[in-house]
């Protein structure tokens, strides 16, 4: 085999491997029930993205309310269910997880966890306040110590015993009790 043939073979093999790598990365990027909720997003979606950037990052269409300038919600067209994205000023500002027991935070917190489990997972970083609408319920708010993340929170809503829903995002939107209302 001459040097041109070797170089061509090397190039074809490299290109084939690169294509496989890109396909694997794209497959991992798709938003699923295994995607982890972060303080500033979920999976590949980050607070601050436009809806079209978020849809591209999620690998799925985001559908929902008609866009307006103040506040509206979008959600994945198919899966995962019960996952909502708040959009303010044309950008994702918060992620809400409702009735989906499969999605967890990076530390493994999920709907159904006890208040004690949340306090243990985020030891010394949970602020407890009374729930506005659920008697005996609480908001367990994770407040990061890292200075770079001071404008973000994770808020777990409870019935007084267990997590009923949770959300993450930037201040002030993550703390809006009534969402866009």
């Amino acid at each position: 085999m001459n040097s041109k043939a070797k170089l061509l073979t090397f190039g074809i093999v490299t290109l084939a491997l690169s294509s496989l790598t890109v396909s694997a990365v794209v497959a991992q990027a798709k938003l699923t029930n295994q995607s982890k909720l972060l303080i500033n997003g979920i999976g590949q979606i980050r607070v601050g993205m436009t809806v079209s950037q978020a849809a591209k990052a999620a690998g799925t269409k985001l559908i929902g309310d008609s866009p307006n300038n103040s506040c509206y919600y979008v959600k994945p067209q198919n899966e995962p269910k019960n996952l909502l994205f708040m959009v303010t000023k044309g950008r994702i500002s918060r992620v809400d997880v409702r009735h989906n027991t499969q999605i967890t935070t990076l530390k493994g917190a999920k709907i159904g966890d006890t208040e004690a489990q949340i306090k243990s997972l985020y030891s010394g970083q949970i602020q407890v306040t009374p729930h506005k609408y659920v008697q005996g319920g609480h908001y367990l708010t994770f407040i990061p110590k890292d200075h770079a993340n001071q404008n973000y929170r994770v808020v777990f809503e409870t019935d007084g015993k267990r997590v009923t829903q949770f959300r993450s995002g930037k201040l002030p939107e993550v703390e809006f009790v009534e969402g866009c209302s």
Side-chain angles (χ1 to χ4, degrees):
M1 195 183 271
N2 66 28
S3 61
K4 281 186 178 178
K6 285 180 183 175
L7 185 60
L8 183 61
T9 302
F10 175 76
I12 290 170
V13 170
T14 302
L15 186 61
L17 289 174
S18 297
S19 296
L20 289 173
T21 305
V22 169
S23 296
V25 170
V26 170
Q28 291 172 338
K30 186 163 174 54
L31 193 60
T32 69
N33 283 318
Q34 283 67 52
S35 298
K36 300 298 180 198
L37 184 84
L38 311 168
I39 196 164
N40 65 342
I42 185 168
Q44 301 298 316
I45 297 177
R46 294 291 173 270
V47 166
M49 287 181 166
T50 64
V51 174
S52 61
Q53 288 170 331
K56 188 174 183 179
T60 187
K61 189 174 183 182
L62 298 176
I63 59 170
D65 301 336
S66 297
N68 67 52
N69 288 331
S70 56
C71 186
Y72 64 98
Y73 279 94
V74 294
K75 63 184 179 183
Q77 186 171 24
N78 297 310
E79 294 289 329
K81 299 284 187 214
N82 300 303
L83 180 68
L84 301 165
F85 298 94
M86 180 186 280
V87 182
T88 54
K89 298 179 184 163
R91 299 194 175 268
I92 304 293
S93 56
R94 132 179 171 177
V95 182
D96 290 53
V97 179
R98 301 177 184 163
H99 314 294
N100 184 323
T101 56
Q102 293 180 288
I103 294 176
T104 70
T105 66
L106 210 49
K107 289 197 174 217
K110 64 187 181 305
I111 291 174
D113 283 355
T114 64
E115 288 191 359
Q117 286 173 296
I118 300 301
K119 290 174 187 174
S120 173
L121 284 171
Y122 299 96
S123 184
Q125 291 181 275
I126 293 291
Q127 177 185 62
V128 181
T129 54
H131 199 289
K132 186 173 177 180
Y133 296 109
V134 178
Q135 189 170 358
H138 299 107
Y139 299 109
L140 305 181
T141 305
F142 167 70
I143 301 173
K145 291 180 181 170
D146 180 17
H147 183 72
N149 291 323
Q150 283 302 299
N151 290 326
Y152 297 98
R153 301 285 186 269
V154 178
V155 179
F156 300 91
E157 292 192 31
T158 77
D159 59 8
K161 293 180 176 48
R162 295 188 177 276
V163 174
T164 57
Q165 60 185 359
F166 60 106
R167 61 185 177 267
S168 72
K170 70 180 189 77
L171 294 171
E173 291 91 334
V174 72
E175 292 185 335
F176 291 172
V177 173
E178 296 168 356
C180 287
S181 300

